[in-house]
């Protein structure tokens, strides 16, 4: 049985998801400096599986992980794995704040796909939140007339994959538990990435293992929390909340990598915040009506 819609609960789980994604960004940069992208993804999936096991046991064990929608799980994870590989590779090419900013074309694809395939309504507040967020991202990135960095193209491709993945997760939450969704994510992506990971495998140095464990934990928790958030609210509500990763990543870039935060970044962050506040200010009668329909 799907949980009743709840904006506060969706916002809580989305905040945890954002924190996990930011941790994964830092850990991803640390690990990809010494290991190839496919090995990092494989280690993330395998270690993440063992981290998830206690939740699997608490949810009824392996028997409870059976699904009636294996093709949907496979499709979602092939697409997501492709996007994750492109995202990690781009992380080695462009600054963190820039990568996260360009990634935020994702809500465009999410909103379009959610309206087209999930029957969600693209209301004026949702549309305004997306538009304000994207304007804020453009202000932060300030695309110039210079040559295009390949990292931008990889992130753009990743953004399309992530948009499709979010819509598929939302669809899966209607029939499968969050633990089951993450369980199959780790199983399928471990299988997908095994051969490319072994092709250029090298034993990680001892000082890299804390980062590997962090990327495995945050990689699992980010999607667990995202799926929980999507169980409480529409994808077109959840995606604009994720815009907060842009100013937060800029802050991390300044603190850890000495990337400067200028007036453009601050102005873009303000627009992103305004969009999120607008999207979250939904009247109680409207929320109750949606809950009754559900």
């Amino acid at each position: 049985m799907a949980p009743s819609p709840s904006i506060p609960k969706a916002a809580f789980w989305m905040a945890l998801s954002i924190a996990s994604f930011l941790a994964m960004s830092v850990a991803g940069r640390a690990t990809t400096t010494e290991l190839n992208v496919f090995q990092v993804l494989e280690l993330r999936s395998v270690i993440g599986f063992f981290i998830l096991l206690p939740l699997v046991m608490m949810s009824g064990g392996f028997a409870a992980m059976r699904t009636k929608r294996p093709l949907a799980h496979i499709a979602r994870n092939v697409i997501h794995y492709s996007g994750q590989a492109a995202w990690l590779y781009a992380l080695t090419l462009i600054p963190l704040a820039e990568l996260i900013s360009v990634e935020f074309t994702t809500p465009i694809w999410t909103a379009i796909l959610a309206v087209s395939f999930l029957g969600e309504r693209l209301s004026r507040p949702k549309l305004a939140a997306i538009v304000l967020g994207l304007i804020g991202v453009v202000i932060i990135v300030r695309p110039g007339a210079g040559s295009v960095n390949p990292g931008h193209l990889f992130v753009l491709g990743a953004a399309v994959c992530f948009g499709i993945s979010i819509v598929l997760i939302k669809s899966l939450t209607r029939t499968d538990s969050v633990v089951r969704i993450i369980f199959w994510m780790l199983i399928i992506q471990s299988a997908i990435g095994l051969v490319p990971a072994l092709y250029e495998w090298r034993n990680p140095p001892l000082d890299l293992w804390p980062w590997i464990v962090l990327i495995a934990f945050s990689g699992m928790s980010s999607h667990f929390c995202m799926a929980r958030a999507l169980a409480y609210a529409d994808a077109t509500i959840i995606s604009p909340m994720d815009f907060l990763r842009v100013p937060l990543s800029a802050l991390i870039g300044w603190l850890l990598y000495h990337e400067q935060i200028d007036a453009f970044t601050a102005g873009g962050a303000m627009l992103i915040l305004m969009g999120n506040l607008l999207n979250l200010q939904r009247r109680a009668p409207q929320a109750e009506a949606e809950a009754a329909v559900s």
Side-chain angles (χ1 to χ4, degrees), residues 75-215:
R76 183 255 158 178
N77 283 292
V78 168
I79 292 169
H80 179 262
Y81 182 89
S82 300
Q84 194 67 67
W87 185 90
L88 272 176
Y89 182 63
L91 191 60
T92 67
L93 301 175
I94 57 178
L96 176 60
E98 193 171 331
L99 176 139
I100 299 297
S101 298
V102 176
E103 178 192 343
F104 272 92
T105 55
T106 295
I108 296 175
W109 309 109
T110 303
I112 293 173
L113 292 165
V115 171
S116 302
F117 296 103
L118 298 181
E120 295 184 6
R121 294 182 178 180
L122 189 60
S123 63
R124 289 181 180 178
K126 293 177 183 178
L127 181 60
I130 291 172
V131 171
L132 283 173
L134 289 175
I135 292 174
V137 168
V138 171
I139 291 174
I140 292 173
V141 175
R142 302 188 303 279
S147 59
V148 177
N149 189 310
H152 296 143
L153 299 179
F154 277 102
V155 177
L156 185 60
V160 175
C161 291
F162 292 156
I164 299 171
S165 177
I166 289 173
V167 173
L168 289 174
I169 290 174
K170 178 61 179 178
S171 175
L172 285 167
T173 60
R174 295 175 176 175
T175 56
D176 289 1
S177 70
V178 173
V179 174
R180 187 183 298 160
I181 292 171
I182 304 304
F183 174 84
W184 285 111
M185 180 189 82
L186 298 172
I187 291 291
I188 294 171
Q189 293 196 19
S190 293
I192 293 172
L194 181 60
V195 173
L198 291 177
Y199 184 73
E200 293 186 11
W201 184 274
R202 63 174 295 239
N203 293 327
L206 188 62
D207 61 349
L208 200 62
W209 277 104
W211 292 112
I212 293 172
V213 173
L214 178 59
I215 197 172

Side-chain angles (χ1 to χ4, degrees), residues 213-235:
V213 173
L214 178 59
I215 197 172
F217 177 80
S218 58
M220 185 273 294
S221 63
S222 61
H223 293 283
F224 178 86
C225 295
M226 171 75 80
R228 291 291 295 170
L230 286 167
Y232 286 110
D234 285 351

Side-chain angles (χ1 to χ4, degrees), residues 244-265:
L244 288 172
R245 268 199 294 147
V246 177
L248 291 174
S249 67
L251 178 61
I252 290 175
W254 176 67
L255 291 173
L256 299 183
Y257 309 117
H258 307 293
E259 298 173 5
Q260 296 300 313
I261 300 177
D262 53 23
F264 290 98
T265 301

